[in-house]
Every structure is written in structure tokens, then in C-alpha cells.
Amino acid sequence: SLLSASLLGIDFANPLLNASGVYCRDVAELDALAASAAGSLVTKSCTLLAREGNPEPRYYATPLGSINSMGLPNAGYQYYLAYAQQHDYAAKPLFLSVAGLSLADNLTMLAAIRAADTPAIVELNLSCPNVPGKPQIGYDFAAMTAMLEAVTQAYDRPFGVKLPPYFDIAHFDEAAAILNRFPQVAFVTCINSIGNALIIDVEAESVVIKPKDGFGGIGGDYVLPTALANVNAFYRRCPAKQIIGCGGVTRGEHIFMHLLAGASLVQVGTALYEEGPGIFARLNDELAELLTRKGYRGIEEVRGKLRTL
Ligand SMILES: O=C(O)c1[nH]c(=O)[nH]c(=O)c1Cl
């Protein structure tokens, strides 16, 4: 139908899902997403052991978006694997986001996920922490290569990677060249939050979140152009892979932009946090109205059709 989407040969009723980390940390939230108009859902990035995460306030929203330094609070990978094993895949697909604190942790989690033999699709979060003092994995190309070499040995199913935003053409080139060495990396999710931003409250003359002296990843309106550029950069450079867009979606026309840029599915983070799962019905309606007004019969006709001048 009009909004039907496809990834890894799997059918989706529509291209929308949550961004990992938003509205997906416990069963109640995951069940609410499963019951919503979202075409699929992804779990909070998990670690080997459960984590409380950073002290609060660790999330703050402004009229233009959000800032967070959650610190990977999650119930531990077995919790999300158990959820994946009871999920009704006939209703909608489910993604498991994995963000091990070490390569060893990722290998342990992926081996368990593989052994469970669930239909869940793995999204490997490369914005996970690296050795202290070194940049996150997504910004350490040697570590990223080593991680993918080890993961593709341990996990023999197609999976995807969640990338941080890049801002330099040479970085798009280098990151894509690494990913293209791994055909098993079947999709790329662009982008994670733009890291280490700082939001200031003038009234209080203060930062707005407690961890890291107020430094945190931003999402929302702040990041839409960067998200679209990363979607299109990897769409152009990775013709054998699919792209999941993430960043800056608050209205149907933003989903349309992500589709034009090359996205097959589109994730919603900050706007979902602020509006709740009802947002998916609104966004699907707005997207359907836009597609119909423009004479499209399906989102497949839109994907990657961005014109240049
Ligand atoms: O602080 C977090 O939990 C977090 N926050 C983000 O904005 N992206 C991530 O990938 C993670 Cl893991």
C-alpha cells in the first residue's frame, strides 16, 4: 500500500519506528510502541549487565530539540532478548540495539542473540563508548574496523550499524569504505545524536543536564540538515546497503526528506519523547497526505529521488 516499506526483504506496514533510546527501555514502553501505529520498533541499546545510567537531570528539551547524556541506562541484554523472544513478528518487525562497553561484551551478547535464533534484527550502536580518552567507536576508524571484523565472525546474520554524524567528506568516504568491506552490514542507520553540545539556561545562568558539565548529544530540529546529509552520503556511497534515517523528524515532510535522501525506514527520537507513541499515527497521516498530493503511489517511488541542481 501507499506507506509499505521493506528492509532486508522484510515487509513493514510503514517506514516509521522509534530511535533507539527513546520510549523503549522497559516492557511497558516497548508494548506501547508495539501497539502504536509505528511500522516497527527498536529496543534501548543494551549492555552485558544492567546499568542505572547517569544522575538526573540527564535529558532536557527546548523548542528546537533535546540534549541528553543518559549514560546507557538499560536492563541488560537478556531483558531485551527475552522481549524479542515473546514479540509477535506477524504484527511488526523488531530491532535489537546493542552497545557493548567492549568488543568482548558485544561478542558475548551477539552470540547469545544468535543462539536464541529470533527474527529480531540487530542494530549495532557504534556511538558506544571506547577506551576512556579515545573517541567513540564511530569516530575511531581503526576500532570500528576491528569491531566489525570481530562481530562478522561471531554473528552470521545480516545486521546494521547506528552511526554518529560525520561532518567532513573525507570521513564519509572513509567510514563508507570500511562498511563496504562488510557485506553482512546490510543497513546503516544515520544519525545518532550530535555529540557534546551545550544548552544554556539564561535565567538560571546554568547548563540544563547534570552529567559531563552539561555536555550532551543533541537531537530534534537542531540536527535535521546534518541527518539528511549523512543519510544521502551513505546512500550514495553504499549502493549494496539500505539506509535508515534518524534525526529531526517532527512532521510528515521531514520523513519525505529522509526518503528523498535515500532512507528505507525513518526513526523518530526527540519528537517521540515529547509527544508519545500517538505521534506515529499523526506522522503516517501527514506522510500519506503529502505523497497523495504529489501523486506518488508508494514510498519506493520516492527513495533516493533527491534532485541536484
Ligand atoms: O546516553 C545514552 O544512553 C545515549 N544517548 C544518545 O544520544 N545516543 C546513544 O547512542 C546513547 Cl547510548
Side-chain angles (χ1 to χ4, degrees):
S1 72
L2 185 64
L3 299 182
S4 297
S6 169
L7 188 93
L8 312 190
I10 299 163
D11 293 331
F12 293 67
N14 65 70
L16 301 182
L17 69 157
N18 63 302
S20 177
V22 181
Y23 225 100
C24 59
R25 191 161 0 123
D26 62 28
V27 168
E29 291 180 330
L30 291 164
D31 281 351
L33 292 180
S36 79
S40 61
L41 67 157
V42 57
T43 58
K44 166 64 185 177
S45 293
C46 61
T47 49
L48 196 67
L49 306 175
R51 290 170 54 88
E52 290 214 339
N54 289 333
E56 296 178 332
R58 58 195 188 183
Y59 172 94
Y60 182 88
T62 76
L64 292 175
S66 68
I67 188 168
N68 90 84
S69 182
M70 309 299 286
L72 255 173
N74 76 97
Y77 80 99
Q78 287 117 330
Y79 180 96
Y80 303 103
L81 182 51
Y83 187 86
Q85 288 177 294
Q86 61 76 56
H87 176 70
D88 173 10
Y89 292 89
K92 60 182 77 174
L94 175 129
F95 295 81
L96 276 172
S97 176
V98 175
L101 299 179
S102 68
L103 171 53
D105 286 3
N106 271 332
L107 297 179
T108 301
M109 291 190 280
L110 289 168
I113 291 165
R114 183 65 186 88
D117 194 19
T118 95
I121 304 167
V122 166
E123 183 183 78
L124 183 64
N125 185 348
L126 296 183
S127 292
C128 46
N130 195 351
V131 172
K134 294 197 70 177
Q136 60 162 290
I137 298 294
Y139 290 152
D140 179 339
F141 290 135
M144 182 163 131
T145 302
M147 172 80 73
L148 292 174
E149 279 170 350
V151 162
T152 50
Q153 299 294 320
Y155 190 73
D156 66 353
R157 283 192 167 161
F159 66 98
V161 293
K162 173 79 168 285
L163 295 180
Y166 299 99
F167 301 91
D168 189 300
I169 300 299
H171 291 162
F172 290 139
D173 292 340
E174 188 163 0
I178 293 169
L179 297 179
N180 285 335
R181 286 178 41 199
F182 303 98
Q184 223 181 306
V185 177
F187 68 91
V188 184
T189 304
C190 298
I191 59 172
N192 207 317
S193 51
I194 296 180
N196 295 304
L198 185 61
I199 288 182
I200 292 176
D201 176 338
V202 169
E203 190 52 39
E205 302 178 14
S206 166
V207 304
V208 296
I209 56 173
K210 188 178 179 77
K212 295 177 60 177
D213 293 329
F215 282 59
I218 53 175
D221 293 354
Y222 296 119
V223 312
L224 180 61
T226 294
L228 294 173
N230 278 260
V231 165
N232 194 238
F234 285 94
Y235 178 75
R236 290 172 179 279
R237 288 168 176 78
C238 303
K241 303 181 192 299
Q242 290 182 274
I243 312 297
I244 298 181
C246 185
V249 173
T250 63
R251 293 203 308 275
E253 67 186 70
H254 302 143
I255 304 163
F256 188 76
M257 294 175 194
H258 273 279
L259 298 174
L260 282 173
S264 291
L265 302 181
V266 180
Q267 298 178 346
V268 184
T270 299
L272 168 61
Y273 192 114
E274 296 304 311
E275 188 167 328
I279 193 172
F280 291 111
R282 173 173 72 82
L283 290 175
N284 276 321
D285 289 348
E286 290 175 1
L287 178 60
E289 194 276 331
L290 181 60
L291 292 169
T292 304
R293 177 152 51 84
K294 284 172 165 282
Y296 287 104
R297 285 162 302 166
I299 65 173
E300 309 296 316
E301 297 173 0
V302 181
R303 186 173 60 254
K305 294 295 189 298
L306 180 63
R307 294 191 176 110
T308 54
L309 300 180

